[in-house]
Amino acid sequence: MNQIRRRLARKASEFFKDWSVPRQLSGQSAVAEAARSSLSEHQRPRLEEADRIGTSICPFCAVGCAQLVYAKHGKPIHIEGDPRSPVNQGTLCPKGAGTLGMMLSELRVPEVLYRAPHSSAWEKRPLDWAMARIAALVKQTRDETIVDRLADGTPVRHTLGIASLGGATLDNEENYLIKKLLGGGLGVVSIENQARI
Ligand code: SF4
């Protein structure tokens, strides 16, 4: 019984020694020594292990929220909203908050994969090769399908052989350039964008 009493007394004494209120009442400062406890003594800054912090933009939508990317030994370990951004003021929506998972996912395809017509196999190709092939096919399709005039003689100078569907990440300015290039430059009529922000 005495042993239990002694243990309880010791626990109570430790509790009151660690609790900030009695220490404040005994004169300690609430923002200095009385704010410390055995728990806070062992806490470390959340991202102490990061050796580098970079800035980025969320890749998911046209809001363009700014991000801080924390890295350790060259590998990202955490991404959060940048509080300096007037756009998102340090916040990220659930999609943007999952950027690190997207970056490090084993399912991510980091290179260009090409499947030739009638083939069932994917081949790795350089990005430059893919861009040149896309440009060549767009030019070829446009040249083959351009219509100068309709049957009644109305001049149109357009092609219905190409359509463009933009992604949600495209912002106002990018969509303007796409419209200028495809519509005014190539005569494409079907131009749409997924973004609705
Ligand atoms: S997906 Fe969310 S976090 Fe990313 S830019 Fe859009 S609103 Fe911002």
Side-chain angles (χ1 to χ4, degrees), residues 35-112:
R36 299 165 74 116
S37 69
S38 53
L39 189 66
S40 67
E41 286 288 305
H42 296 102
Q43 287 184 332
R44 304 300 317 150
R46 183 168 54 95
L47 290 162
E48 185 182 45
E49 56 184 15
D51 54 28
R52 201 170 159 206
I53 305 172
T55 55
S56 186
I57 301 290
C58 174
F60 288 116
C61 91
V63 172
C65 294
Q67 296 178 322
L68 292 174
V69 183
Y70 295 79
K72 179 181 179 185
H73 305 322
K75 189 175 173 192
I77 57 170
H78 179 75
I79 295 179
E80 62 188 24
D82 188 339
R84 296 167 299 182
S85 166
V87 175
N88 53 313
Q89 299 181 343
T91 64
L92 292 175
C93 79
K95 212 159 50 158
T99 308
L100 186 68
M102 186 271 292
M103 276 181 81
L104 303 180
S105 171
E106 288 178 6
L107 300 175
R108 190 170 175 199
V109 181
E111 64 264 306
V112 173

Side-chain angles (χ1 to χ4, degrees), residues 60-63 164-172 175 191-197:
F60 288 116
C61 91
V63 172
S164 166
L165 176 62
T169 311
L170 297 171
D171 58 31
N172 236 18
N175 281 308
I191 303 173
E192 224 342 335
N193 190 283
Q194 190 226 322
R196 291 288 176 270
I197 297 172

Side-chain angles (χ1 to χ4, degrees), residues 123-180:
E123 305 160 31
K124 286 184 191 171
R125 292 291 173 98
L127 181 59
D128 287 349
W129 175 89
M131 298 303 280
R133 180 166 168 79
I134 291 168
L137 289 175
V138 167
K139 170 85 168 58
Q140 180 190 334
T141 306
R142 192 256 185 190
D143 289 349
E144 289 173 357
T145 58
I146 192 82
V147 175
D148 267 333
R149 291 177 184 274
L150 298 181
D152 64 2
T154 309
V156 285
R157 194 83 183 141
H158 73 199
T159 170
L160 301 180
I162 303 172
S164 166
L165 176 62
T169 311
L170 297 171
D171 58 31
N172 236 18
E173 292 73 17
E174 287 162 333
N175 281 308
Y176 174 81
L177 291 174
I178 286 171
K179 182 76 179 157
K180 281 284 175 197

